[in-house]
Amino acid sequence: MLKDFKPVLNILLRFIVIYLVLLLGYQFYLNNGKESGLDPFSRIIADQVASIQKAVGFPTLLYDDVKNEQVWFYVKKNYVTRMVEGCNAVSVMILFIAFVFAFYKGAKTYIFALAGLVLLYVMNLLRIVGLNIVMVDHQEYGKIFHDFIFPAVIYGTVVVLWLVWIKFFALKNENS
């Protein structure tokens, strides 16, 4: 009976191992830079968000709050939001990668994973830009956008990518 579940158990074990290794690696990265404020990857995202906002007509300055490991977005003469480590979507990207590599299919796994990471990165940038714009012009909707709409967009993107990976790549030959 266990033989029937062996493929599923192998996929589950690969997912858990990959997820834990990536998560521990990321935690190690975060622990090594605590004294300098917001981690460098999150800071890059904050800088890119500020650049995008400036390009679309929302002049933005960043204020480093090193002690609290965050960066504040100063838009249209108001502090509208703050960027903390959790805003960088790395945890979502780790989850995505672990799932894709759990269904490893050779070189196409790397290509799909890279393309998916790029898409998630761009979606996250646009998510933060969108939230800042909502907070500047329609602050009354800020909580619903922050807590529900934008998480649904980023997690929804991950689920769609997973479905595409499974249907068109991972199980393609097995369904024929």
Side-chain angles (χ1 to χ4, degrees):
M1 183 169 145
L2 190 58
K3 196 162 112 176
D4 293 336
F5 293 109
K6 189 175 180 183
V8 173
L9 293 175
N10 283 339
I11 289 169
L12 186 59
L13 182 61
R14 273 194 306 250
F15 173 82
I16 291 170
V17 168
I18 293 167
Y19 182 77
L20 289 176
V21 167
L22 292 174
L23 194 63
L24 291 172
Y26 181 56
Q27 193 60 50
F28 179 76
Y29 161 79
L30 290 175
N31 289 341
N32 281 335
K34 282 198 173 281
E35 305 80 34
S36 60
L38 190 63
D39 67 281
F41 184 70
S42 297
R43 179 58 199 218
I44 289 168
I45 291 173
D47 290 336
Q48 290 173 340
V49 166
S51 295
I52 293 168
Q53 289 175 190
K54 288 175 191 173
V56 296
F58 288 86
T60 303
L61 298 173
L62 299 176
Y63 169 73
D64 288 302
D65 183 356
V66 174
K67 182 181 81 152
N68 295 314
E69 298 177 32
Q70 61 190 1
V71 169
W72 286 89
F73 290 98
Y74 186 74
V75 185
K76 289 187 173 180
K77 300 181 182 179
N78 291 307
Y79 289 106
V80 291
T81 62
R82 63 189 175 97
M83 172 93 179
V84 297
E85 174 272 325
C87 300
N88 66 18
V90 169
S91 60
V92 175
M93 293 177 193
I94 288 172
L95 193 63
F96 167 73
I97 290 296
F99 182 85
V100 170
F101 277 91
F103 291 89
Y104 183 79
K105 294 294 177 185
K108 64 183 172 183
T109 308
Y110 292 96
I111 295 167
F112 187 84
L114 182 61
L117 286 175
V118 169
L119 178 63
L120 290 172
Y121 187 87
V122 170
M123 292 292 292
N124 190 52
L125 287 176
L126 296 176
R127 176 186 72 88
I128 298 168
V129 168
L131 182 60
N132 284 339
I133 290 171
V134 166
M135 292 302 289
V136 166
D137 291 338
H138 303 285
Q139 191 172 8
E140 66 274 16
Y141 300 113
K143 182 162 179 52
I144 194 165
F145 273 84
H146 180 272
D147 293 351
F148 301 107
I149 293 173
F150 288 131
V153 169
I154 198 88
Y155 284 107
T157 302
V158 170
V159 170
V160 167
L161 286 170
W162 285 347
L163 292 173
V164 168
W165 174 246
I166 292 298
K167 179 151 178 69
F168 296 107
F169 298 98
L171 300 179
K172 186 173 183 165
N173 295 336
E174 295 171 23
N175 290 336
S176 306

